[in-house]
Amino acid sequence: MATPRRLLARLRETMAHDAAPLHELAELVAAELVSEVCSIYAGRPGEILELVATQGLNQGAIGRTRLRVGEGIVGLCAATGKVMNLPDAQNHPAFAYRPETGEEPFASMLAVPVRRGGHTLGVVAVQNRNPRGYSAEEVDELETVAMLLAEVLASVGAADGAEEGVAATVPRVFSGSSLVPGIAIGPVVLHGALSRPARLLADDPDAELARLQDASRRMQQGLDELFSGVPEGADGTASREVLEAYRLIAADAGWLQRVSEVIRGGLSAEAAVQRVAGELRDRMRRISDPYLRERLADLEDLAGRLLAALAGNVPRPPVPPGAILLARRLGPAELLDWHAAGIAGVAVEEASAGGHAAILARALGLPSVGGTRGMLDSAEPGDEAVVDADDGQLVLRPEAEVRSAYLREMEARRALAAGWAPLRGRPAMTCDGVHVSLMLNVGLTMELAQLDTTGAEGIGLYRTEIGMLARGEIADVAEQAATYSRVLDAAAGRPVLFRTLDLGADKLLPGDAPEEENPAMGWRSLRIGLDRPALLRRQMRALLLAAGGRRLSVMFPMVATVAEFRAAKSLLLAEARRVRPAPEQLEIGTMLEVPALMWQLNELLREVDFVSVGSNDLLQFLFAADRSAPALFNRYDLLSQPVLGLLEQLLVAAKEAKGGAGVPISLCGEAASRPLEALTLVGLGFTSLSMSASGILPVKASLADLDLAAFRPVLASIRRNASGAASLREPISVWAREHGLAV
Ligand code: PEP
Ligand code: MG
């Protein structure tokens, strides 16, 4: 058996003449692996594998022998992505006899899939007369050959215009859930994808091993720095254990050893890491135990870090215009990065509508789907994809007719949206003349232009933490004041409700390792603010400075008790006594997100100037249902008896509060931006809603057709007759459609 290095050196020579003919490769591999036969099969459109080169079989079979994926041993190898190592291939149940090949004399067979990214591009197989099993070393060599062959097949495919490989030719649809409605079509870019190594083979393995060692040391250092910020102690123990486990894996000699072995075989350090990462990915697909899957996922993540260290953290390549971003998981800060690079749509394998990346995507108007599991295994950068976020699916490599149907639909929507344009300058009114104030949810100053493009009446929720997440740190007082002042300037007298920092749960600054089992119910938001009053007071000072004598409205997130509200309010009042000029008017309100406040309404409504219902968190806590768990997506409905009952009780109490003067109530959760929910909330008595920009015109358009006086008794009767139904969506939407409302 030839040493892999010798084989690779010969391959390198052969491939140096650019388009190495495949038959030369087959000849070389057969000779070096001491096999009578080496055959190369390439994927063709329609899930077909075609014999494209062979040493040892009849040359007349080239281009004639074609197998379906799944047919014969070669087809099975392509279908399963597994190595087939068979001493007696002809008696294997899958064996498919092809007389034109003349393969009768050959008993044993080793077939290895040729994979690139998530795709199987073909199969390379060797055969021998004597029945024998191939050694682990031989399997390893043929796998290395397959890795090189993948590059050759991909470039050959590109050159002759043939589509790329087996899986790559097949359209696939992945179902998930809608995070932000809309449709987008474009080329795929992958979040966190390992970029293809520029160099596959290396002349000097010792130099490559030294590079690997150096990169691995730098990766370890990076991890140490990353983890050093995580506190020790009773509460931190669990997270430390996890981090320690991760660190152990990072330092684990086993997988680095494996990478070193592959380097010694003649691959570059980058190619070796990718090769081992690919093996891990294949193993991961076959493992169902969640703990082991996580460990393997850690390893894959580490492989990415190691590659970044090898590359010296090169910047991301440019994003093609209108690209569709595919990610396993995505944080808000990462989404912002990609948005700045110009993506048009997003699909995330693990995400749900309530998560902050989804909220941000909504604010940015990026059609997005979540829960589209398995897509990353099939997608390749540059593949075309459709995010159909209305049906909650990702269509990969759409057929031509499907693609043009989507393009027609997008065109129709542009026309519909253009029809809403006249509504922009008008206040939202029901057709029987009730005014509803529609406000914007904003998190970034770049969204301020939407005040004018949508004709919103003000900002009903300014999420101050989003800007900090985008920059990756908490800004100082002067910087914060400058930002808030720009917001007030842009609002030009329209109301702005600033919400103090709502960090924690899924809104973590980089370096903040989650250290709690249930971060959504953990140390987050106002709880952090009250425990670290200096942080909160600095923000309050910045807000007061920004107001510079103008009217200022501030509210606190995640208030659970009246005492917490009072504590936060007194911090704000203390700051307000120090800052000059004092605001012309200072309004202090609360978010209502924690159900416990419902049993403190009397005291609460005496103390607050306004209440804004955060229905995203409120539903999460009311139904004990994690807002970012994809499995719970759409399981519990705002349009349901318990939520509408709670909201009505709140509206009644607010109306009677302060001796009948009342306390203003609005709702700023994502539900407000959906026309059916918005109509129902208005039917219940809300006259102020705050939503993402994409919701304003559609909600305005459907309110314009709503006869509120007629709807109120209908809603009341639907609620009365609900008799335990989990959702009232169906009867409400039936009524709305019958009355010509666009919902
Ligand atoms: C909410 O919880 O409804 C809300 C508006 O706040 P956030 O989505 O930022 O948690
Ligand atoms: Mg909230």
Side-chain angles (χ1 to χ4, degrees):
M1 175 60 54
T3 64
R5 279 194 61 196
R6 197 177 116 206
L7 169 64
L8 288 177
R10 301 265 326 259
L11 280 169
R12 188 166 48 241
E13 269 166 35
T14 314
M15 288 167 70
H17 322 292
D18 278 347
L22 288 172
H23 72 258
E24 267 182 37
L25 287 180
E27 207 177 304
L28 180 64
V29 174
E32 294 292 323
L33 269 85
V34 196
S35 294
E36 282 96 8
V37 176
C38 173
S39 307
I40 300 170
Y41 293 81
R44 294 288 179 243
E47 303 239 316
I48 297 291
L49 291 155
E50 182 182 304
L51 181 67
V52 290
T54 182
Q55 164 68 23
L57 298 185
N58 292 337
Q59 295 300 306
I62 293 173
R64 265 178 71 201
T65 298
R66 306 183 107 217
L67 294 157
R68 273 178 288 108
V69 170
E71 184 190 11
I73 289 169
V74 164
L76 194 60
C77 172
T80 58
K82 284 188 194 152
V83 172
M84 310 287 291
N85 184 351
L86 307 171
D88 183 9
Q90 305 206 4
N91 285 315
H92 188 279
F95 183 76
Y97 177 57
R98 289 300 157 89
E100 73 274 11
T101 59
E103 65 181 323
E104 298 86 342
F106 306 108
S108 53
M109 182 177 203
L110 172 64
V112 170
V114 176
R115 294 161 68 93
R116 188 173 187 260
H119 305 304
T120 302
L121 301 184
V123 171
V124 56
V126 292
Q127 288 172 278
N128 284 72
R129 278 174 200 273
N130 57 327
R132 66 177 186 103
Y134 296 84
S135 70
E137 196 195 3
E138 288 168 317
V139 173
D140 203 56
E141 278 181 57
L142 198 59
E143 286 192 312
T144 303
V145 168
M147 189 171 172
L148 295 176
L149 209 46
E151 300 305 314
V152 178
L153 285 187
S155 62
V156 169
D160 67 13
E163 289 187 74
E164 217 188 64
V166 175
T169 61
V170 184
R172 297 281 308 268
V173 177
F174 298 89
S175 293
S177 52
S178 169
L179 303 181
V180 183
I183 299 174
I185 302 185
V188 161
V189 289
L190 301 177
H191 175 64
L194 308 181
S195 59
R196 217 169 284 297
R199 219 163 32 105
L200 284 172
L201 305 176
D203 294 324
D204 184 355
D206 289 337
E208 294 303 296
L209 286 170
R211 289 182 63 227
L212 175 72
Q213 251 176 18
D214 176 56
S216 144
R217 189 182 42 74
R218 277 184 291 120
M219 176 187 78
Q220 293 283 353
Q221 261 172 11
L223 289 176
D224 289 345
E225 278 162 28
L226 195 65
F227 295 167
S228 64
V230 180
E232 301 262 13
D235 293 335
T237 313
S239 64
R240 283 224 81 83
E241 276 168 11
V242 172
L243 296 181
E244 281 313 322
Y246 189 85
R247 205 200 301 266
L248 281 178
I249 295 171
D252 174 41
W255 78 285
L256 287 174
Q257 197 75 45
R258 174 84 194 112
V259 176
S260 307
E261 264 168 34
V262 178
I263 290 180
R264 277 190 212 101
L267 290 193
S268 69
E270 285 87 349
V273 173
Q274 288 231 345
R275 163 86 190 273
V276 174
E279 292 170 1
L280 292 170
R281 210 174 304 126
D282 285 346
R283 270 161 64 196
M284 203 150 38
R285 280 195 201 112
R286 282 178 238 132
I287 286 179
S288 57
D289 178 81
Y291 177 78
L292 285 179
R293 273 185 82 106
E294 271 307 308
R295 296 284 75 78
L296 282 174
D298 284 353
L299 270 175
E300 210 193 11
D301 186 49
L302 284 165
R305 284 177 187 276
L306 196 49
L307 279 180
L310 277 167
N313 302 319
V314 281
R316 174 188 301 150
V319 172
I324 305 294
L325 176 67
L326 269 48
R328 197 173 307 281
R329 278 177 285 264
L330 196 64
E334 294 159 333
L335 177 62
L336 285 172
D337 265 358
W338 281 106
H339 177 256
I343 54 166
V346 179
V348 188
E349 288 201 345
E350 295 170 20
S352 82
H356 284 98
I359 289 177
L360 200 54
R362 206 160 298 137
L364 300 170
L366 279 175
S368 308
V369 290
T372 40
R373 281 175 199 274
M375 66 176 184
L376 289 174
D377 289 343
S378 309
E380 177 95 349
D383 278 349
E384 181 160 78
V386 181
V387 167
D388 175 356
D390 290 356
D391 281 340
Q393 59 186 21
L394 177 87
V395 186
L396 201 56
R397 303 179 287 270
E399 307 266 15
E401 304 89 89
V402 174
R403 180 174 189 277
S404 31
Y406 274 115
L407 287 173
R408 280 196 303 277
E409 177 62 24
M410 283 169 77
E411 192 41 50
R413 286 172 189 216
R414 266 193 285 274
L416 183 65
W420 291 333
L423 293 172
R424 204 160 280 154
R426 295 189 221 142
M429 286 281 183
T430 65
C431 74
D432 51 345
V434 177
H435 171 234
V436 181
S437 156
L438 301 188
M439 316 261 273
L440 264 191
N441 291 350
V442 174
L444 293 169
T445 46
M446 71 179 182
E447 295 172 82
L448 291 170
Q450 293 169 342
L451 269 172
D452 295 322
T453 56
T454 59
E457 291 184 27
I459 296 175
L461 167 64
Y462 190 89
R463 291 181 165 105
T464 56
E465 68 282 355
I466 302 286
M468 318 256 185
L469 286 167
R471 51 183 283 157
E473 61 181 10
I474 308 232
D476 65 23
V477 172
E479 286 163 323
Q480 287 192 53
T483 304
Y484 306 148
S485 168
R486 274 173 66 197
V487 176
L488 289 169
D489 291 348
R494 288 170 282 199
V496 179
L497 275 52
F498 286 100
R499 179 177 74 181
T500 59
L501 287 175
D502 186 25
L503 289 167
D506 65 335
K507 287 186 280 196
L508 289 168
L509 286 173
D512 277 358
E515 50 181 280
E516 300 170 305
E517 259 183 46
N518 292 308
M521 295 194 284
W523 191 61
R524 57 173 284 203
S525 196
L526 185 65
R527 296 167 186 172
I528 300 180
L530 292 177
D531 291 356
R532 293 208 182 141
L535 180 78
L536 188 53
R537 286 183 74 147
R538 277 202 295 275
Q539 179 174 38
M540 291 166 166
R541 200 172 319 142
L543 285 164
L544 289 155
L545 287 169
R550 292 176 279 194
R551 165 180 168 193
L552 178 65
S553 305
V554 179
M555 61 183 174
F556 308 118
M558 284 291 294
V559 174
T561 64
V562 174
E564 284 174 350
F565 175 78
R566 281 188 192 131
K569 179 175 172 176
S570 69
L571 287 178
L572 179 53
L573 291 176
E575 280 307 315
R577 279 193 290 275
R578 295 175 40 189
V579 176
R580 287 292 165 266
E584 148 200 274
Q585 191 185 347
L586 177 59
E587 292 174 315
I588 308 178
T590 183
M591 301 270 297
L592 193 142
E593 296 172 290
V594 183
L597 281 187
M598 290 303 294
W599 288 272
Q600 305 166 69
L601 282 182
N602 282 343
E603 302 79 11
L604 185 74
L605 292 170
R606 265 202 293 278
E607 309 247 352
V608 297
D609 296 320
F610 62 91
V611 175
S612 183
V613 179
S615 53
N616 306 333
D617 275 312
L618 181 62
L619 261 71
Q620 142 161 291
F621 298 124
L622 201 58
F623 289 112
D626 184 344
R627 66 193 261 186
S628 38
L632 302 184
F633 174 70
N634 266 353
R635 193 176 188 113
Y636 302 103
D637 201 344
L638 179 114
L639 301 182
S640 65
Q641 205 52 289
V643 184
L644 297 187
L646 180 154
L647 294 176
E648 183 179 52
Q649 203 181 323
L650 174 66
L651 286 165
V652 169
K655 197 167 172 193
E656 292 165 356
K658 303 200 169 160
V663 168
I665 302 277
S666 69
L667 186 139
C668 64
E670 298 310 303
S673 59
R674 294 189 285 269
L676 191 67
E677 276 86 337
L679 294 182
T680 309
L681 292 166
V682 170
L684 211 59
F686 278 90
T687 52
S688 170
L689 299 173
S690 190
M691 62 195 73
S692 39
S694 59
I696 300 259
L697 289 176
V699 166
K700 215 184 253 192
S702 24
L703 284 176
D705 292 328
L706 174 70
D707 181 345
L708 186 57
F711 178 50
R712 277 214 171 107
V714 173
L715 181 61
S717 121
I718 290 174
R719 291 177 57 205
R720 261 197 316 278
N721 298 323
S723 66
S727 167
L728 307 178
R729 182 166 298 270
E730 187 55 28
I732 300 174
S733 57
V734 166
W735 183 88
R737 289 216 182 83
E738 279 172 358
H739 290 76
L741 300 169
V743 286

